[in-house]
Amino acid sequence: MLISESMVMSERPPKKDFSRWYDYVLKEGGFIDVRYGVKGMIVYRERGMDVIDRLYSIFEAKLKERGHKKVLMPLFIPLNAFRKESEHIKGFESEVFKVTQAGDETLDEPLIVRPTSETAFYPMFALWVKSYRDLPFRTYQSVAVYRYETKATRPLFRGREFLWIETHNLFRTEEEAMEHIKGDIDMVGEVFKRIGLPYMVIRREAFDRFPGAKESFAYDTVLPTGEVLQVATTHYLGTNFTAPFEVKYLDQDGNLKYPFSTTLGIGMSRILGATIAVHGDDYGAFVPPLLAEPLGIIVPIYGQGKRDGLEGYIDEVSKKLESLRFVVDLSEMTPGEKYYTSELLGYPLRIEIGEKEMEARVVTVFRRDLRRRYRFRLDEAFEGINGLISEINARLSSVSQLKVSELNEAGNRDEVMKLAAEGKPFKMSFCGREECAKDLKSATGGFEVRGEPVYDKEKAGSVCSWCGEPAVRKVIVARAY
Ligand SMILES: [Zn+2]
């Protein structure tokens, strides 16, 4: 089958047609398939799982370094346990899946399909943690969670099943717990810099915290549409969960005490979706080197009759680059088809080797993000390609530095309406009142007060830009996914 460049390109929606483009790249790039037939649930295909596996292994290695132990809790949570923390249940009850029947029997106690797992971990913490010597106690699990979303779902951004890591941790003091949260924020930031996700770390307003949390800090990434997407959150829970679940330890002073707890959630599905959305272009996806598996493909370009020689040369190149995770594309496609496919799938680099390269003992390397070709002598190829990876990583890191100081600011109602119409995140002075945020949201058709940035904090003006009441802080306002 011969596919011309114009034929391939004409099938791909341009990125400015974002919705169609996003669906096309996810499907044709082999990341996911939405045709499973259960609303809000998708199938993760090989390209999607390659990226997700890398994400899991990067974050899990970092968590283990920080003293977390991996566990796996059951999918089901007894309804009684789920109802123990009153704010938590209020926040989640309308969106849980409930199992009320098994076989022919109606269950005496319904089971909740985990929407998050505090209420699975804490009954076990009560059994496991006895003494101050057991603290800090840091755990995590890598699982899918289930929420009955009634809003419109969107593949990887909002669904009824999504993949994440959740950590659950206990500390002797509030200071230790807050220190741990700082470590969470740094850890997630390090990865986001490597994968070039533009982000803001935001302290959520009291009315927008995780149900049961005393403080919530979130990573909001900004999508090409101007909407923000929460991709990770870390919460300080105080003793809001340890007390109702009777998690107690005997302290050095001989008293029984409730430990302070924290939880971190990192959304693998959302990070995958955001990465595709942010970095892709009219040619397809771009997967950052850190997440790319493999890093790239080697495309043999066979001429007339010299096949054996070329294969020998490709073997030589492969050996030289062994530690860089390239695979030789031996499929039946023409080189041109392989180029277009590899650009759709988003490998950061591609090596093209034909007779010309073999005779000159060089390699041609195509860099996906800039769509530019480079040529290296074989004996310098390893260093040359490593140099390209460093350049790509540096570019990604600079993309991720989203500066609050560079956002537009709304000083009054008219400016809020004007900036909201432009569709991008902006900042404003805020009174801290939920009613004000609700009013702003309905007047602007969906802009939300996301909270105060943790970095580049700016001093608020004297009055709230929306309602005119005294302002307490400057906040980020954006349309959220
Ligand atoms: Zn206000």
Side-chain angles (χ1 to χ4, degrees):
M1 184 178 59
L2 268 175
I3 303 175
S4 70
E5 176 169 7
S6 59
M7 271 172 69
V8 175
M9 290 304 294
S10 67
E11 284 171 15
R12 293 183 198 173
K15 194 177 180 186
K16 63 177 193 301
D17 187 358
F18 180 75
S19 243
R20 276 184 59 226
W21 173 89
Y22 180 70
D23 290 345
Y24 178 90
V25 170
L26 288 180
K27 176 165 179 276
E28 300 302 323
F31 292 97
I32 60 161
D33 200 317
V34 297
R35 296 172 296 180
Y36 182 66
V38 176
K39 187 179 181 317
M41 298 201 177
I42 58 172
V43 175
Y44 291 81
R45 293 198 60 186
E46 60 278 12
R47 277 297 279 160
M49 283 316 295
D50 282 343
V51 174
I52 284 191
D53 280 349
R54 300 245 342 144
L55 274 172
Y56 269 128
S57 66
I58 290 159
F59 280 114
E60 290 194 12
K62 285 178 182 290
L63 287 171
K64 281 174 182 160
E65 260 172 45
R66 295 174 63 210
H68 290 263
K69 305 270 190 271
K70 185 173 187 173
V71 299
L72 180 61
M73 290 289 168
L75 172 65
F76 295 145
I77 299 171
L79 187 60
N80 274 338
F82 187 69
R83 288 195 164 148
K84 271 208 170 131
E85 206 289 326
S86 58
E87 287 301 314
H88 192 68
I89 179 72
K90 263 191 257 162
F92 279 108
E93 192 152 40
S94 67
E95 50 181 86
V96 293
F97 287 92
K98 220 176 270 178
V99 179
T100 54
Q101 181 139 2
D104 290 336
E105 288 171 36
T106 301
L107 298 179
D108 291 337
E109 185 182 7
L111 299 168
I112 298 299
V113 181
R114 64 172 166 243
T116 174
S117 306
E118 284 71 18
T119 54
F121 276 82
Y122 282 73
M124 299 313 295
F125 284 165
L127 302 172
W128 294 341
V129 174
K130 297 289 174 209
S131 144
Y132 69 91
R133 290 187 203 89
D134 299 325
L135 300 176
F137 197 89
R138 290 169 290 222
T139 60
Y140 77 94
Q141 66 175 354
S142 296
V143 293
V145 287
Y146 299 82
R147 295 179 190 176
Y148 183 65
E149 290 284 355
T150 47
K151 282 195 215 169
T153 61
R154 177 117 201 121
L156 299 172
F157 291 164
R158 183 176 295 283
R160 291 180 174 176
E161 175 184 57
F162 58 92
L163 301 171
W164 77 351
I165 289 177
E166 52 179 314
T167 79
H168 298 279
N169 320 294
L170 307 171
F171 302 91
R172 273 175 96 177
T173 65
E174 194 164 356
E175 292 70 40
E176 268 182 83
M178 292 311 287
E179 195 55 37
H180 186 79
I181 282 181
K182 209 171 148 284
D184 288 344
I185 293 174
D186 291 345
M187 176 184 74
V188 174
E190 265 173 48
V191 176
F192 283 12
K193 280 189 190 112
R194 293 284 305 278
I195 62 179
L197 278 192
Y199 67 84
M200 293 176 281
V201 186
I202 295 176
R203 182 172 162 269
R204 290 279 185 254
E205 292 294 318
F207 52 81
D208 192 27
R209 283 178 198 140
F210 175 75
K214 289 176 97 83
E215 284 284 4
S216 289
F217 299 92
Y219 268 82
D220 278 355
T221 188
V222 184
L223 299 173
T225 54
E227 291 158 303
V228 297
L229 180 73
Q230 173 179 302
V231 277
T233 43
T234 177
H235 311 284
Y236 173 58
L237 305 176
T239 58
N240 285 358
F241 283 84
T242 52
F245 284 95
E246 298 280 319
V247 181
K248 278 185 254 181
Y249 70 97
L250 191 63
D251 206 353
Q252 258 171 319
D253 59 13
N255 292 319
L256 276 175
K257 294 176 185 170
Y258 296 126
F260 299 90
S261 69
T262 71
T263 177
L264 161 73
I266 313 170
M268 301 295 136
S269 305
R270 283 188 163 187
I271 295 176
L272 169 62
T275 302
I276 303 289
V278 167
H279 297 309
D281 57 20
D282 288 353
Y283 295 87
F286 169 77
V287 180
L290 186 70
L291 302 184
E293 186 57 51
L295 183 68
I297 56 166
I298 298 176
V299 179
I301 307 159
Y302 295 115
Q304 301 292 322
K306 288 196 181 171
R307 200 174 170 106
D308 292 347
L310 195 62
E311 272 164 8
Y313 185 60
I314 286 170
D315 277 349
E316 214 179 314
V317 174
S318 301
K319 284 217 178 70
K320 272 247 179 330
L321 304 179
E322 208 164 15
S323 59
L324 292 179
R325 300 186 287 121
F326 279 92
V327 296
V328 183
D329 185 347
L330 295 170
S331 67
E332 289 295 312
M333 291 187 288
T334 66
E337 290 164 359
K338 288 178 186 179
Y339 293 176
Y340 298 120
T341 307
S342 72
E343 284 168 49
L344 174 61
L345 270 55
Y347 302 118
L349 297 169
R350 175 174 79 226
I351 299 175
E352 303 161 1
I353 300 178
E355 281 171 22
K356 267 189 293 177
E357 280 79 9
M358 178 173 72
E359 272 153 26
R361 295 193 59 78
V362 297
V363 293
T364 298
V365 182
F366 176 84
R367 179 174 160 181
R368 170 70 182 85
D369 58 341
L370 304 182
R371 305 195 73 255
R372 200 180 284 163
R373 283 188 171 79
Y374 300 79
R375 189 169 252 219
F376 300 109
R377 279 173 34 203
L378 179 58
D379 54 2
E380 289 167 356
F382 185 86
E383 289 73 22
I385 290 171
N386 262 322
L388 287 182
I389 297 169
S390 304
E391 281 174 31
I392 295 172
N393 286 336
R395 192 187 64 80
L396 290 171
S397 168
S398 72
V399 170
S400 76
Q401 314 287 317
L402 206 156
K403 293 204 174 61
V404 174
S405 58
E406 288 168 8
L407 293 179
N408 287 320
E409 177 162 2
N412 56 43
R413 232 170 225 261
D414 285 349
E415 288 173 14
V416 168
M417 295 308 289
K418 187 176 144 279
L419 289 174
E422 287 173 18
K424 284 186 272 181
F426 59 89
K427 56 194 174 186
M428 68 170 220
S429 297
F430 180 56
C431 60
R433 296 183 309 121
E434 184 173 14
E435 312 82 78
C436 175
K438 275 189 180 156
D439 186 50
L440 187 156
K441 187 174 178 179
S442 71
T444 53
F447 270 70
E448 293 175 10
V449 171
R450 303 298 282 171
E452 182 181 44
V454 170
Y455 302 116
D456 314 331
K457 218 178 277 184
E458 292 175 7
K459 206 171 165 299
S462 57
V463 296
C464 174
S465 305
W466 185 251
C467 71
E469 297 277 313
V472 290
R473 59 190 148 265
K474 202 176 274 185
V475 294
I476 305 294
V477 181
R479 193 191 295 280
Y481 219 95

